[in-house]
Amino acid sequence: MDSLKPIILKPRRMSLIEMDSEEYSRRVTVTLSPGMTPPRRGAGKSKTGRVNVVCRFRPQNQKEIDNGGMNCVEYADDGQTLTFRGNAFTYDRVFNESTTQAEVYEFTAQPIVEDVLQGYNGTVFAYGQTSSGKTHTMEGASLEDEQTRGIIPRMLDTVFEFTDSLQSDPSWELILKCQFVEIYMEKV
């Protein structure tokens, strides 16, 4: 009888933000039994296949509300165009202040995570000036609150749901490694 040979499925590099939560540090092992085929890199077709650029406006924080902060952007009904100071800008998607964290995740990151689980490389990158909403979008206000959780905890949930589905097949062994990095003021 042939011995089982482990396969290690891991992304080459993921750069996001480091989180301190035991809930998201698991070790899952998957082993291929003889005759089973491992997932192939690039098998099939990527769902996303291209770079999507989205613009997300976070809700105002309490300080902004207390100081009478006002929205300075107009949103078109197409969900892709906004107007700022008379100039129109078009993106793959525009998310206004009332957009939920789940909606942002489902459009921006979930298809990328699903592609990564099929063997494609994927990156989610947040860019913007200080206080523009990167942390709000990526991490969320609270890991425990389903409504306010950001992209990173939702990505990890998707990955762990996938690995849990493989756990029911005793012929798989997974070793999963994720790395999250924050670059702030040109320091890692």
Side-chain angles (χ1 to χ4, degrees):
M1 181 173 164
D2 295 339
S3 64
L4 298 177
K5 296 183 181 181
I7 261 195
I8 298 175
L9 301 174
K10 62 181 178 179
R12 290 182 183 208
R13 175 183 283 178
M14 292 181 74
S15 24
L16 296 172
I17 299 171
E18 185 172 342
M19 296 177 66
D20 297 325
S21 175
E22 287 184 27
E23 178 182 351
Y24 295 108
S25 53
R26 295 190 194 174
R27 181 180 173 96
V28 184
T29 315
V30 175
T31 305
L32 273 179
S33 62
M36 287 193 70
T37 308
R40 295 178 308 160
R41 295 191 70 73
K45 185 174 182 187
S46 166
K47 289 181 186 174
T48 53
R50 65 181 184 88
V51 173
N52 284 313
V53 179
V54 302
C55 187
R56 199 280 166 95
F57 292 84
R58 65 164 170 74
Q60 290 189 14
N61 61 36
Q62 193 58 49
K63 183 178 178 182
E64 292 164 335
I65 294 169
D66 293 345
N67 288 327
M70 299 190 56
N71 186 353
C72 60
V73 176
E74 295 174 29
Y75 306 102
D77 292 335
D78 66 2
Q80 295 181 301
T81 307
L82 64 90
T83 304
F84 176 68
R85 295 184 179 170
N87 297 305
F89 300 91
T90 302
Y91 300 89
D92 290 300
R93 182 82 182 264
V94 173
F95 297 105
N96 64 28
E97 298 90 350
S98 64
T99 305
T100 66
Q101 296 282 60
E103 289 174 289
V104 173
Y105 173 69
E106 288 164 7
F107 183 85
T108 59
Q110 187 173 12
I112 294 169
V113 174
E114 290 171 355
D115 281 351
V116 166
L117 294 173
Q118 296 301 314
Y120 294 94
N121 290 323
T123 300
V124 176
F125 183 81
Y127 178 81
Q129 69 185 41
T130 299
S131 194
S132 63
K134 298 176 301 294
T135 302
H136 172 80
T137 299
M138 297 303 289
E139 293 182 19
S142 170
L143 288 175
E144 288 76 34
D145 183 0
E146 183 61 35
Q147 297 297 317
T148 63
R149 293 164 38 121
I151 286 176
I152 294 171
R154 292 172 191 276
M155 289 172 74
L156 293 171
D157 285 345
T158 301
V159 169
F160 290 132
E161 286 169 12
F162 176 78
T163 60
D164 288 347
S165 72
L166 293 178
Q167 291 282 350
S168 63
D169 185 345
S171 62
W172 282 93
E173 181 180 284
L174 276 177
I175 298 172
L176 179 64
K177 296 180 181 182
C178 294
Q179 181 178 7
F180 301 95
V181 176
E182 179 178 23
I183 301 172
Y184 181 71
M185 297 191 68
E186 299 183 17
K187 293 183 180 176
V188 177

